Amino acid sequence: HPAYGTATVTVVDGKLVMAWSAFDVPLDHFEGDTFRAAGGHFVDQSVPFAVAGGKAVSVRLAGQEFQKK
């Protein structure tokens, strides 16, 4: 999101972690293409991924959508 900066999702020790601003948000799979924040400031928030052609094209956290570049 242009006003909120860049978010990245990486695999750390076999689990997804979303990094955004000063936050590192570990993600646990919830259902389908949706994960849940597993700790930190955003704990228990839903983190849905939009998928097209088998690849993530965006992710949403705290009401902000981040598009894949």
Side-chain angles (χ1 to χ4, degrees), residues 9 16 18 27-37 44-51 56-67:
V9 178
L16 293 181
M18 184 173 178
L27 303 175
D28 285 338
H29 184 252
F30 177 69
E31 175 178 71
D33 298 324
T34 301
F35 287 73
R36 299 210 46 94
D44 289 332
Q45 286 194 32
S46 177
V47 183
F49 285 76
V51 177
V57 294
S58 69
V59 62
R60 192 166 194 72
L61 175 66
Q64 303 307 313
E65 184 173 23
F66 298 89
Q67 300 284 328

Side-chain angles (χ1 to χ4, degrees), residues 6-20 23-29 35-36 47 49 56 59 61 68:
T6 301
T8 58
V9 178
T10 57
V11 177
V12 177
D13 295 328
K15 296 188 109 180
L16 293 181
V17 176
M18 184 173 178
W20 173 45
F23 304 105
D24 287 324
V25 184
L27 303 175
D28 285 338
H29 184 252
F35 287 73
R36 299 210 46 94
V47 183
F49 285 76
V59 62
L61 175 66
K68 185 174 182 180

